[in-house]
Amino acid sequence: MRAAVDIGWRLAGLALAWIAGVAVQLQQRTLAPVDAYLVAVALGALGAILAWRWRRAFLAGLLGAALLAFGAAGWRACERLADALPLKLEGQDLAVTGVIASLPQRSAAGLRFRFEVEAARLRGQPVRVPALLSIGWYKGQHEDAALSQPQSELRAGQRWRFTLRLRQPHGNLNPHGFDYELLLFEQGVGATGSVRDGASARPASLRNTPPPELLDRAAGHPVERLRQRVRDAIEASVPDRRAAGVLAALAVGDQGAIEREDWDLYRNTGIAHLVSISGLHITMFAWLAGGAVAALWRRSARAPLWLPAPLAGRWGGLACAAAYALFSGWGVPSQRTVWMLGVVTLTQAFGLRWPWTLVLLLAAVVVTAIDPWALLQAGFWLSFVAVGLLMASSVSNADAADAADVARAPGWRGWPRRLWALARADLRTQVVATIGLTPLTLVFFQQVSLVGFAANLVAIPLITLVITPLALLGVVLVPLWALGAWFVRLLDAVLAWLAALPGAVWLVPVAPAWAQLAGLVGAVLLVLPLPWRARALALPLLVPLLLPPRDLPPPGEFDLLALDVGQGTAVLVRTRSHLLLFDAGPQYARESDAGQRVLLPLLRSRGEARIDTLVLSHRDLDHVGGAVSVLKALPVDDVLSSLEPAHPVLALAARTTRCSAGQSWWWDGVRFEVLRPAEADYARSLKSNAMSCVLRVEGAGRSALLTGDIEREQETALLAGQETALLARQETALLAGAAPRLRSDVLIVPHHGSRTSSSAAFLDTVQPRAAVIQAGYRNRFHHPAPDVLERYRARGISVVATPSCGAWHWNTRAAPAGVCQRDAGRRYWHHRPLDPA
């Protein structure tokens, strides 16, 4: 017995060392040479051999496990980075032949899919491109247009020849934001791009581009082709698109089929994990399939002699779970669950009675050995911690006695007690999961649904035992999909009622690391079978996570954050007790914008519950595209803009004010002043850029100038207005020496660095120390213009551009250089574009 316990502790230590080795490798900012990782693997293997041969060398074994994990993860990372798109091929028109490797995702803009490359050519010569691409095939200028004939024929498993324009994987990088580049790296995607379809191309010169060509309708990926047929059948059989999307997500794992508003509803009610193929679905399917296999196995006279029925049921359940995971897209959560079930099945098959902690640790080792980057995913921790909490909070002796007593109850009279015992067990499981996972949910998502407990009590049995089986059985009996859609609508109605309750969602800012750790320890104490006095210790540990401290500027100071929103503008200005948002970023597509994808997650992570003033500089979509999402999600006290009164965005505002030169106000000792447009400009017929609101913020002797998309004419007007004001005050000496009204430490570069702006006279007057260009990576406008950059360089102005910097943070208390998010949070998988500055 003592030997078995000793072996268990040693295996647990080795597993923890392995996970630690992977975690350390994932923190690397840059990769070491591949030879260094191979050496680490060799040393790690040597340490493992020593620990196996001599028990006293256990410390060498721990170090060896960590080195082995570190080296293996680094080796695989080097291989993936080696498959990156060569920089010289970015922006080139390439003739690429390959196979559609995933279900095409439809949106208002067009199609998106994974493409496995077989051959690529540039001007007739073969070139090397990454093996797996993420490709968009867009409709063209009008999202309302229908898919073209070739687009409507696109299916998984087909072989096509496209003319593609590729680029290295690049995503927006903001504090506490979604890491799109990590997602692509984990999935092995080496480049993204778009189909150059001559029929929908804007420039006339592209009309001669060879059209996409379908070469083979069944070139490979039979599972994906089957998933495609099932999804198409669901959409054809269920007229309700929203219900059809949920059924497709549960049947074939097509999460992209769920509408955006439905995702918001499921997140706000805490059931989002139930409408995607998660560990719960795979585990439940394995349990049901295993029970069926065991029952059938017992009916055979010979089969139990070859393999006991319980063991046959376990292997059968594992096989069915793996098949379901493959059919549902083999997503990362499904893979984790299959590997976990595999570890459990193997230990039971070999008669190993390991404690649940050891089984979970070994399952985590298997998962991270196959996918090291899973360690950075919230789903990894939520799934493992959920299982661990349920096992740790095992049923008390009293509950066990009640269960045994109920089991002995004779005949039909025992059924009410059995049902009551089952309901009690389910309720207790839900309580443990809710309490235990709430701190982890706050750590990863900074929000928790206060109606989630009630929502899950309804949704778990309905989705797991009714809707998901109907979605799967509909493959055999199509009318069941209509019944499943009815239950989806019923569930949505209940969830919508719950989500409408006051305070349905509790939002908190990102807590410091020590507060996160304390909160997780508190959650464990609450669910462990300990005396209530011991559990009470959890309450003070939870407080810093539930009510984390906020880092706010002192009175008279302000913070500025220029967000990375792609080709558009969005700037946060925060004083001690007020928040201003200057522009809301672009609209990426009809169902996606910077407000929903960037601004709202960031604001929630900072604990911002309201916006005092939203400035919309002008009507261009790259400045107001995210405003609707922001106005619908957060209270905004005032919208200050140059928009026409009939603009649809203003209909959502509680209060609107027209920005006009001369307006000013003070917040917490910080002065805000509107410099443009002049009131008379509203009576003139000016283009949109010319009506941009210009705002200057000043506090603690430092200042920032936010310019919108003004052009040379408006820059000249600003200079003339400044000179006129100074002359009127008989302060002409200021023009030669002291700081004029426009001079600022930080300049948000006008019009994203376009040639139409940043005149020499304007820069000579503003004299910024730092200039920030908010533009998209490889944008079609070619912002910033080289000659504009040269004007900044000639004056010694430090220029940062969001494609190479990510979000840029600056405050009046720090050095004028500011901090780039790509520098502060750099990891080796992050893209490193050339700095245009």
Side-chain angles (χ1 to χ4, degrees), residues 689-749:
N689 287 351
M691 294 299 297
S692 292
C693 302
V694 177
L695 180 69
R696 187 172 184 270
V697 186
E698 183 175 10
R702 297 199 175 184
S703 55
L705 186 63
L706 288 66
T707 58
D709 279 354
I710 61 171
E711 300 180 355
R712 287 192 187 92
E713 182 180 348
Q714 290 75 52
E715 293 175 354
T716 302
L718 282 171
L719 300 180
Q722 170 179 266
E723 184 172 358
T724 300
L726 293 175
L727 288 171
R729 296 176 185 177
Q730 297 182 352
E731 296 174 347
T732 53
L734 287 175
L735 288 172
R741 187 174 57 149
L742 286 179
R743 185 173 296 175
S744 301
D745 296 279
V746 174
L747 171 67
I748 303 298
V749 172

Side-chain angles (χ1 to χ4, degrees), residues 74-125:
W75 185 8
R76 294 187 60 192
C78 288
E79 289 182 336
R80 293 205 174 180
L81 285 184
D83 192 40
L85 179 73
L87 187 60
K88 64 181 180 181
L89 295 182
E90 278 197 311
Q92 301 285 343
D93 286 344
L94 305 175
V96 184
T97 302
V99 178
I100 311 299
S102 68
L103 287 178
Q105 299 296 318
R106 289 190 293 272
S107 68
L111 303 171
R112 191 150 203 96
F113 54 90
R114 295 287 192 263
F115 195 52
E116 283 187 356
V117 175
E118 296 177 334
R121 291 181 174 271
L122 173 62
R123 292 187 285 274
Q125 298 299 315

Side-chain angles (χ1 to χ4, degrees), residues 283-527:
T283 304
M284 181 64 69
F285 190 80
W287 177 66
L288 293 173
V293 169
L296 292 173
W297 203 265
R298 292 187 184 96
R299 298 178 67 87
S300 170
R302 295 184 178 180
L305 299 177
W306 175 67
L307 187 68
L311 195 56
R314 295 186 188 107
W315 284 110
L318 176 61
C320 292
Y324 182 32
L326 283 171
F327 182 67
S328 62
W330 198 238
V332 174
S334 300
Q335 293 179 39
R336 285 195 296 265
T337 306
V338 170
W339 304 136
M340 186 188 300
L341 291 173
V343 171
V344 173
T345 303
L346 280 173
T347 57
Q348 292 177 342
F350 286 105
L352 301 174
R353 298 183 178 275
W354 287 347
W356 62 267
T357 50
L358 182 56
V359 173
L360 281 183
L361 284 173
L362 292 181
V365 168
V366 172
V367 170
T368 53
I370 295 170
D371 179 15
W373 304 279
L375 206 61
L376 297 172
Q377 304 298 335
F380 173 91
W381 297 101
L382 288 170
S383 58
F384 276 95
V385 170
V387 175
L389 285 172
L390 294 176
M391 291 180 174
S393 59
S394 54
V395 181
S396 65
N397 293 332
D399 291 336
D402 290 345
D405 185 50
V406 168
R408 289 192 297 268
W412 61 269
R413 295 180 180 179
W415 276 109
R417 297 182 65 185
R418 290 191 184 100
L419 292 175
W420 171 243
L422 181 63
R424 283 184 60 190
D426 290 343
L427 185 63
R428 184 178 185 280
T429 298
Q430 187 59 42
V431 169
V432 169
T434 300
I435 295 176
L437 293 180
T438 291
L440 203 59
T441 303
L442 290 174
V443 167
F444 285 115
F445 307 114
Q446 293 81 54
Q447 72 173 56
V448 64
S449 174
L450 298 183
V451 299
F453 179 79
N456 276 275
L457 284 178
V458 176
I460 287 178
L462 193 59
I463 292 177
T464 305
L465 301 177
V466 180
I467 297 176
T468 299
L470 289 174
L472 293 173
L473 292 173
V475 176
V476 180
L477 192 59
V478 172
L480 292 179
W481 281 332
L483 182 59
W486 184 85
F487 278 107
V488 170
R489 289 191 290 270
L490 175 64
L491 175 63
D492 286 350
V494 174
L495 296 177
W497 179 80
L498 289 172
L501 294 176
V505 180
W506 187 7
L507 303 173
V508 300
V510 173
W514 63 267
Q516 295 179 6
L517 181 60
L520 296 177
V521 172
V524 173
L525 288 176
L526 276 178
V527 299

